[in-house]
mmCIF file with all atom_site columns, all heavy atoms in Angstrom:
data_model
loop_
_atom_site.group_PDB
_atom_site.id
_atom_site.type_symbol
_atom_site.label_atom_id
_atom_site.label_alt_id
_atom_site.label_comp_id
_atom_site.label_asym_id
_atom_site.label_entity_id
_atom_site.label_seq_id
_atom_site.pdbx_PDB_ins_code
_atom_site.Cartn_x
_atom_site.Cartn_y
_atom_site.Cartn_z
_atom_site.occupancy
_atom_site.B_iso_or_equiv
_atom_site.pdbx_formal_charge
_atom_site.auth_seq_id
_atom_site.auth_comp_id
_atom_site.auth_asym_id
_atom_site.auth_atom_id
_atom_site.pdbx_PDB_model_num
ATOM 1   N N   . ASP E 1 173 ? 49.479 63.154 4.865   1.00 95.00 ? 173 ASP E N   1
ATOM 2   C CA  . ASP E 1 173 ? 48.731 63.296 6.113   1.00 95.00 ? 173 ASP E CA  1
ATOM 3   C C   . ASP E 1 173 ? 47.237 63.413 5.813   1.00 95.00 ? 173 ASP E C   1
ATOM 4   O O   . ASP E 1 173 ? 46.829 64.035 4.829   1.00 95.00 ? 173 ASP E O   1
ATOM 5   C CB  . ASP E 1 173 ? 49.196 64.543 6.873   1.00 95.00 ? 173 ASP E CB  1
ATOM 6   C CG  . ASP E 1 173 ? 50.619 64.416 7.389   1.00 95.00 ? 173 ASP E CG  1
ATOM 7   O OD1 . ASP E 1 173 ? 51.089 63.267 7.528   1.00 95.00 ? 173 ASP E OD1 1
ATOM 8   O OD2 . ASP E 1 173 ? 51.259 65.457 7.634   1.00 95.00 ? 173 ASP E OD2 1
ATOM 9   N N   . GLY E 1 174 ? 46.430 62.800 6.664   1.00 95.00 ? 174 GLY E N   1
ATOM 10  C CA  . GLY E 1 174 ? 44.978 62.899 6.514   1.00 95.00 ? 174 GLY E CA  1
ATOM 11  C C   . GLY E 1 174 ? 44.370 61.881 5.578   1.00 95.00 ? 174 GLY E C   1
ATOM 12  O O   . GLY E 1 174 ? 43.152 61.835 5.423   1.00 95.00 ? 174 GLY E O   1
ATOM 13  N N   . VAL E 1 175 ? 45.213 61.048 4.937   1.00 97.00 ? 175 VAL E N   1
ATOM 14  C CA  . VAL E 1 175 ? 44.715 60.035 3.998   1.00 97.00 ? 175 VAL E CA  1
ATOM 15  C C   . VAL E 1 175 ? 44.712 58.682 4.701   1.00 97.00 ? 175 VAL E C   1
ATOM 16  O O   . VAL E 1 175 ? 45.728 58.264 5.273   1.00 97.00 ? 175 VAL E O   1
ATOM 17  C CB  . VAL E 1 175 ? 45.589 59.980 2.738   1.00 97.00 ? 175 VAL E CB  1
ATOM 18  C CG1 . VAL E 1 175 ? 45.203 58.788 1.861   1.00 97.00 ? 175 VAL E CG1 1
ATOM 19  C CG2 . VAL E 1 175 ? 45.454 61.280 1.951   1.00 97.00 ? 175 VAL E CG2 1
ATOM 20  N N   . ASP E 1 176 ? 43.576 57.999 4.674   1.00 96.00 ? 176 ASP E N   1
ATOM 21  C CA  . ASP E 1 176 ? 43.440 56.676 5.278   1.00 96.00 ? 176 ASP E CA  1
ATOM 22  C C   . ASP E 1 176 ? 42.604 55.810 4.344   1.00 96.00 ? 176 ASP E C   1
ATOM 23  O O   . ASP E 1 176 ? 41.376 55.774 4.439   1.00 96.00 ? 176 ASP E O   1
ATOM 24  C CB  . ASP E 1 176 ? 42.798 56.774 6.663   1.00 96.00 ? 176 ASP E CB  1
ATOM 25  C CG  . ASP E 1 176 ? 42.693 55.420 7.361   1.00 96.00 ? 176 ASP E CG  1
ATOM 26  O OD1 . ASP E 1 176 ? 43.353 54.461 6.910   1.00 96.00 ? 176 ASP E OD1 1
ATOM 27  O OD2 . ASP E 1 176 ? 41.937 55.329 8.348   1.00 96.00 ? 176 ASP E OD2 1
ATOM 28  N N   . ILE E 1 177 ? 43.275 55.158 3.427   1.00 97.00 ? 177 ILE E N   1
ATOM 29  C CA  . ILE E 1 177 ? 42.604 54.373 2.391   1.00 97.00 ? 177 ILE E CA  1
ATOM 30  C C   . ILE E 1 177 ? 42.921 52.901 2.613   1.00 97.00 ? 177 ILE E C   1
ATOM 31  O O   . ILE E 1 177 ? 44.077 52.494 2.556   1.00 97.00 ? 177 ILE E O   1
ATOM 32  C CB  . ILE E 1 177 ? 43.069 54.804 0.986   1.00 97.00 ? 177 ILE E CB  1
ATOM 33  C CG1 . ILE E 1 177 ? 42.683 56.261 0.732   1.00 97.00 ? 177 ILE E CG1 1
ATOM 34  C CG2 . ILE E 1 177 ? 42.471 53.899 -0.080  1.00 97.00 ? 177 ILE E CG2 1
ATOM 35  C CD1 . ILE E 1 177 ? 43.229 56.816 -0.570  1.00 97.00 ? 177 ILE E CD1 1
ATOM 36  N N   . ARG E 1 178 ? 41.891 52.115 2.872   1.00 95.00 ? 178 ARG E N   1
ATOM 37  C CA  . ARG E 1 178 ? 42.047 50.679 3.093   1.00 95.00 ? 178 ARG E CA  1
ATOM 38  C C   . ARG E 1 178 ? 40.690 50.011 2.937   1.00 95.00 ? 178 ARG E C   1
ATOM 39  O O   . ARG E 1 178 ? 39.648 50.657 3.094   1.00 95.00 ? 178 ARG E O   1
ATOM 40  C CB  . ARG E 1 178 ? 42.648 50.382 4.461   1.00 95.00 ? 178 ARG E CB  1
ATOM 41  C CG  . ARG E 1 178 ? 42.036 51.129 5.616   1.00 95.00 ? 178 ARG E CG  1
ATOM 42  C CD  . ARG E 1 178 ? 42.896 51.056 6.872   1.00 95.00 ? 178 ARG E CD  1
ATOM 43  N NE  . ARG E 1 178 ? 42.397 51.973 7.892   1.00 95.00 ? 178 ARG E NE  1
ATOM 44  C CZ  . ARG E 1 178 ? 41.479 51.668 8.799   1.00 95.00 ? 178 ARG E CZ  1
ATOM 45  N NH1 . ARG E 1 178 ? 40.957 50.438 8.819   1.00 95.00 ? 178 ARG E NH1 1
ATOM 46  N NH2 . ARG E 1 178 ? 41.079 52.563 9.681   1.00 95.00 ? 178 ARG E NH2 1
ATOM 47  N N   . PRO E 1 179 ? 40.675 48.717 2.616   1.00 96.00 ? 179 PRO E N   1
ATOM 48  C CA  . PRO E 1 179 ? 39.393 48.057 2.304   1.00 96.00 ? 179 PRO E CA  1
ATOM 49  C C   . PRO E 1 179 ? 38.411 48.028 3.448   1.00 96.00 ? 179 PRO E C   1
ATOM 50  O O   . PRO E 1 179 ? 37.195 47.994 3.223   1.00 96.00 ? 179 PRO E O   1
ATOM 51  C CB  . PRO E 1 179 ? 39.823 46.639 1.897   1.00 96.00 ? 179 PRO E CB  1
ATOM 52  C CG  . PRO E 1 179 ? 41.219 46.482 2.399   1.00 96.00 ? 179 PRO E CG  1
ATOM 53  C CD  . PRO E 1 179 ? 41.825 47.835 2.381   1.00 96.00 ? 179 PRO E CD  1
ATOM 54  N N   . GLN E 1 180 ? 38.895 48.079 4.690   1.00 96.00 ? 180 GLN E N   1
ATOM 55  C CA  . GLN E 1 180 ? 37.992 48.039 5.844   1.00 96.00 ? 180 GLN E CA  1
ATOM 56  C C   . GLN E 1 180 ? 37.154 49.312 5.980   1.00 96.00 ? 180 GLN E C   1
ATOM 57  O O   . GLN E 1 180 ? 36.201 49.340 6.756   1.00 96.00 ? 180 GLN E O   1
ATOM 58  C CB  . GLN E 1 180 ? 38.798 47.828 7.131   1.00 96.00 ? 180 GLN E CB  1
ATOM 59  C CG  . GLN E 1 180 ? 39.467 46.464 7.250   1.00 96.00 ? 180 GLN E CG  1
ATOM 60  C CD  . GLN E 1 180 ? 40.765 46.359 6.473   1.00 96.00 ? 180 GLN E CD  1
ATOM 61  O OE1 . GLN E 1 180 ? 41.249 47.344 5.893   1.00 96.00 ? 180 GLN E OE1 1
ATOM 62  N NE2 . GLN E 1 180 ? 41.350 45.175 6.452   1.00 96.00 ? 180 GLN E NE2 1
ATOM 63  N N   . ARG E 1 181 ? 37.470 50.369 5.239   1.00 97.00 ? 181 ARG E N   1
ATOM 64  C CA  . ARG E 1 181 ? 36.792 51.650 5.414   1.00 97.00 ? 181 ARG E CA  1
ATOM 65  C C   . ARG E 1 181 ? 35.565 51.843 4.513   1.00 97.00 ? 181 ARG E C   1
ATOM 66  O O   . ARG E 1 181 ? 34.921 52.888 4.568   1.00 97.00 ? 181 ARG E O   1
ATOM 67  C CB  . ARG E 1 181 ? 37.769 52.807 5.180   1.00 97.00 ? 181 ARG E CB  1
ATOM 68  C CG  . ARG E 1 181 ? 38.865 52.897 6.225   1.00 97.00 ? 181 ARG E CG  1
ATOM 69  C CD  . ARG E 1 181 ? 39.491 54.277 6.225   1.00 97.00 ? 181 ARG E CD  1
ATOM 70  N NE  . ARG E 1 181 ? 38.556 55.284 6.696   1.00 97.00 ? 181 ARG E NE  1
ATOM 71  C CZ  . ARG E 1 181 ? 38.402 56.487 6.150   1.00 97.00 ? 181 ARG E CZ  1
ATOM 72  N NH1 . ARG E 1 181 ? 39.109 56.828 5.070   1.00 97.00 ? 181 ARG E NH1 1
ATOM 73  N NH2 . ARG E 1 181 ? 37.550 57.362 6.648   1.00 97.00 ? 181 ARG E NH2 1
ATOM 74  N N   . ALA E 1 182 ? 35.227 50.870 3.687   1.00 98.00 ? 182 ALA E N   1
ATOM 75  C CA  . ALA E 1 182 ? 34.000 50.999 2.884   1.00 98.00 ? 182 ALA E CA  1
ATOM 76  C C   . ALA E 1 182 ? 32.794 51.148 3.804   1.00 98.00 ? 182 ALA E C   1
ATOM 77  O O   . ALA E 1 182 ? 32.703 50.483 4.840   1.00 98.00 ? 182 ALA E O   1
ATOM 78  C CB  . ALA E 1 182 ? 33.832 49.777 1.990   1.00 98.00 ? 182 ALA E CB  1
ATOM 79  N N   . ARG E 1 183 ? 31.871 52.032 3.441   1.00 98.00 ? 183 ARG E N   1
ATOM 80  C CA  . ARG E 1 183 ? 30.699 52.322 4.255   1.00 98.00 ? 183 ARG E CA  1
ATOM 81  C C   . ARG E 1 183 ? 29.436 52.299 3.397   1.00 98.00 ? 183 ARG E C   1
ATOM 82  O O   . ARG E 1 183 ? 29.454 52.724 2.239   1.00 98.00 ? 183 ARG E O   1
ATOM 83  C CB  . ARG E 1 183 ? 30.819 53.709 4.900   1.00 98.00 ? 183 ARG E CB  1
ATOM 84  C CG  . ARG E 1 183 ? 31.978 53.867 5.871   1.00 98.00 ? 183 ARG E CG  1
ATOM 85  C CD  . ARG E 1 183 ? 31.735 53.084 7.152   1.00 98.00 ? 183 ARG E CD  1
ATOM 86  N NE  . ARG E 1 183 ? 32.819 53.280 8.113   1.00 98.00 ? 183 ARG E NE  1
ATOM 87  C CZ  . ARG E 1 183 ? 33.906 52.523 8.177   1.00 98.00 ? 183 ARG E CZ  1
ATOM 88  N NH1 . ARG E 1 183 ? 34.057 51.519 7.317   1.00 98.00 ? 183 ARG E NH1 1
ATOM 89  N NH2 . ARG E 1 183 ? 34.841 52.750 9.087   1.00 98.00 ? 183 ARG E NH2 1
ATOM 90  N N   . PRO E 1 184 ? 28.310 51.822 3.949   1.00 98.00 ? 184 PRO E N   1
ATOM 91  C CA  . PRO E 1 184 ? 27.052 51.916 3.203   1.00 98.00 ? 184 PRO E CA  1
ATOM 92  C C   . PRO E 1 184 ? 26.792 53.361 2.777   1.00 98.00 ? 184 PRO E C   1
ATOM 93  O O   . PRO E 1 184 ? 26.992 54.294 3.551   1.00 98.00 ? 184 PRO E O   1
ATOM 94  C CB  . PRO E 1 184 ? 26.009 51.443 4.228   1.00 98.00 ? 184 PRO E CB  1
ATOM 95  C CG  . PRO E 1 184 ? 26.774 50.509 5.121   1.00 98.00 ? 184 PRO E CG  1
ATOM 96  C CD  . PRO E 1 184 ? 28.142 51.129 5.249   1.00 98.00 ? 184 PRO E CD  1
ATOM 97  N N   . GLY E 1 185 ? 26.379 53.510 1.536   1.00 98.00 ? 185 GLY E N   1
ATOM 98  C CA  . GLY E 1 185 ? 26.171 54.836 0.969   1.00 98.00 ? 185 GLY E CA  1
ATOM 99  C C   . GLY E 1 185 ? 27.292 55.273 0.057   1.00 98.00 ? 185 GLY E C   1
ATOM 100 O O   . GLY E 1 185 ? 27.116 56.189 -0.753  1.00 98.00 ? 185 GLY E O   1
ATOM 101 N N   . ASP E 1 186 ? 28.477 54.644 0.177   1.00 98.00 ? 186 ASP E N   1
ATOM 102 C CA  . ASP E 1 186 ? 29.586 54.989 -0.717  1.00 98.00 ? 186 ASP E CA  1
ATOM 103 C C   . ASP E 1 186 ? 29.206 54.722 -2.170  1.00 98.00 ? 186 ASP E C   1
ATOM 104 O O   . ASP E 1 186 ? 28.556 53.716 -2.490  1.00 98.00 ? 186 ASP E O   1
ATOM 105 C CB  . ASP E 1 186 ? 30.824 54.153 -0.392  1.00 98.00 ? 186 ASP E CB  1
ATOM 106 C CG  . ASP E 1 186 ? 31.561 54.619 0.850   1.00 98.00 ? 186 ASP E CG  1
ATOM 107 O OD1 . ASP E 1 186 ? 31.186 55.666 1.401   1.00 98.00 ? 186 ASP E OD1 1
ATOM 108 O OD2 . ASP E 1 186 ? 32.530 53.933 1.252   1.00 98.00 ? 186 ASP E OD2 1
ATOM 109 N N   . ALA E 1 187 ? 29.639 55.603 -3.049  1.00 98.00 ? 187 ALA E N   1
ATOM 110 C CA  . ALA E 1 187 ? 29.523 55.361 -4.484  1.00 98.00 ? 187 ALA E CA  1
ATOM 111 C C   . ALA E 1 187 ? 30.703 54.504 -4.922  1.00 98.00 ? 187 ALA E C   1
ATOM 112 O O   . ALA E 1 187 ? 31.824 54.673 -4.439  1.00 98.00 ? 187 ALA E O   1
ATOM 113 C CB  . ALA E 1 187 ? 29.518 56.681 -5.244  1.00 98.00 ? 187 ALA E CB  1
ATOM 114 N N   . VAL E 1 188 ? 30.450 53.562 -5.831  1.00 98.00 ? 188 VAL E N   1
ATOM 115 C CA  . VAL E 1 188 ? 31.504 52.701 -6.367  1.00 98.00 ? 188 VAL E CA  1
ATOM 116 C C   . VAL E 1 188 ? 31.816 53.169 -7.787  1.00 98.00 ? 188 VAL E C   1
ATOM 117 O O   . VAL E 1 188 ? 30.955 53.138 -8.669  1.00 98.00 ? 188 VAL E O   1
ATOM 118 C CB  . VAL E 1 188 ? 31.076 51.225 -6.372  1.00 98.00 ? 188 VAL E CB  1
ATOM 119 C CG1 . VAL E 1 188 ? 32.190 50.350 -6.944  1.00 98.00 ? 188 VAL E CG1 1
ATOM 120 C CG2 . VAL E 1 188 ? 30.719 50.773 -4.951  1.00 98.00 ? 188 VAL E CG2 1
ATOM 121 N N   . LEU E 1 189 ? 33.053 53.617 -7.996  1.00 98.00 ? 189 LEU E N   1
ATOM 122 C CA  . LEU E 1 189 ? 33.494 54.155 -9.277  1.00 98.00 ? 189 LEU E CA  1
ATOM 123 C C   . LEU E 1 189 ? 34.571 53.252 -9.874  1.00 98.00 ? 189 LEU E C   1
ATOM 124 O O   . LEU E 1 189 ? 35.386 52.685 -9.141  1.00 98.00 ? 189 LEU E O   1
ATOM 125 C CB  . LEU E 1 189 ? 34.066 55.567 -9.101  1.00 98.00 ? 189 LEU E CB  1
ATOM 126 C CG  . LEU E 1 189 ? 33.275 56.573 -8.269  1.00 98.00 ? 189 LEU E CG  1
ATOM 127 C CD1 . LEU E 1 189 ? 34.040 57.883 -8.147  1.00 98.00 ? 189 LEU E CD1 1
ATOM 128 C CD2 . LEU E 1 189 ? 31.902 56.807 -8.883  1.00 98.00 ? 189 LEU E CD2 1
ATOM 129 N N   . VAL E 1 190 ? 34.592 53.133 -11.192 1.00 98.00 ? 190 VAL E N   1
ATOM 130 C CA  . VAL E 1 190 ? 35.677 52.434 -11.872 1.00 98.00 ? 190 VAL E CA  1
ATOM 131 C C   . VAL E 1 190 ? 36.275 53.402 -12.880 1.00 98.00 ? 190 VAL E C   1
ATOM 132 O O   . VAL E 1 190 ? 35.556 54.212 -13.493 1.00 98.00 ? 190 VAL E O   1
ATOM 133 C CB  . VAL E 1 190 ? 35.188 51.130 -12.545 1.00 98.00 ? 190 VAL E CB  1
ATOM 134 C CG1 . VAL E 1 190 ? 34.266 51.414 -13.730 1.00 98.00 ? 190 VAL E CG1 1
ATOM 135 C CG2 . VAL E 1 190 ? 36.360 50.269 -12.982 1.00 98.00 ? 190 VAL E CG2 1
#
Side-chain angles (χ1 to χ4, degrees):
D173 292 338
V175 171
D176 183 15
I177 297 174
R178 47 194 170 89
Q180 293 81 5
R181 293 199 68 222
R183 297 289 183 270
D186 284 354
V188 180
L189 313 177
V190 69

